[in-house]
Amino acid sequence: MDEVRMLGKLWCILSFAIILSSAGNFYDCGSKVGNYSSVTITNCGTAPICILKRNSNVTIQFDFTPFENTNTVSAVVHGIKMGIPVPFHFPDEAACNRTLKCPLFKGKTYSYQATFPIKKKYPAIRLDVKWELKNDDQRDIACILIPAKIM
């Protein structure tokens, strides 16, 4: 019986370590009615800052779990420089139209994915990208802050 408990504790520790290592340098910026895990961004790797190359497409993927039911999910993205958020509009703001099948139910884990262009006209700049998934009441199910540099 002690071996079973020890294996259970070891499993918990390893799972936690895997979650931390896969989190990269992404930060929760105010998830209120849910949480996220397993963030992956193309060409981002484990570097402290994600390099976003102009004239290319970048894909973000993460799993999230809402804490309450919702009929709609909207993706809201901002670039933040010197504390000033600048909206970034992309074609997939209504997440239920492409990636997700709504309604979403509390406690169930969903996978979100979106691809967005890094246009050639964007300036080479260091910024934070704030990616939010909002519920019916415009409250954050998931809010991820991504240190990035456009090159």
Side-chain angles (χ1 to χ4, degrees), residues 72-83:
T72 61
V73 177
S74 57
V76 179
V77 183
H78 288 87
I80 301 174
K81 182 69 178 172
M82 297 187 321

Side-chain angles (χ1 to χ4, degrees), residues 9-24 38:
K9 288 180 182 180
L10 181 60
W11 176 253
C12 287
I13 290 168
L14 286 174
S15 297
F16 185 68
I18 289 169
I19 289 169
L20 285 178
S21 67
S22 67
S38 307

Side-chain angles (χ1 to χ4, degrees), residues 27-109:
Y27 305 95
D28 189 298
C29 54
S31 303
K32 301 290 185 204
V33 291
N35 61 20
Y36 67 88
S37 63
S38 307
V39 178
T40 304
I41 301 175
T42 54
N43 301 322
C44 195
T46 59
I49 297 175
C50 290
I51 303 300
L52 306 176
K53 294 183 181 179
R54 289 185 285 182
N55 207 27
S56 70
N57 289 323
V58 174
T59 300
I60 183 171
Q61 189 282 323
F62 59 89
D63 296 334
F64 70 97
T65 306
F67 295 156
E68 53 190 43
N69 297 340
T70 187
N71 290 313
T72 61
V73 177
S74 57
V76 179
V77 183
H78 288 87
I80 301 174
K81 182 69 178 172
M82 297 187 321
I84 301 170
V86 177
F88 177 79
H89 299 285
F90 65 103
D92 296 330
E93 289 179 4
C96 294
N97 290 344
R98 293 193 179 233
T99 301
L100 303 171
K101 184 175 179 181
C102 292
L104 304 185
F105 301 100
K106 72 177 182 178
K108 186 175 178 191
T109 300

Side-chain angles (χ1 to χ4, degrees), residues 1-10:
M1 194 59 130
D2 286 334
E3 289 178 11
V4 172
R5 285 187 195 152
M6 182 62 93
L7 286 174
K9 288 180 182 180
L10 181 60

Side-chain angles (χ1 to χ4, degrees), residues 27-31 36 130-133 140-145:
Y27 305 95
D28 189 298
C29 54
S31 303
Y36 67 88
K130 182 179 181 181
W131 200 288
E132 301 166 275
L133 292 184
D140 284 341
I141 301 169
C143 182
I144 304 169
L145 193 65

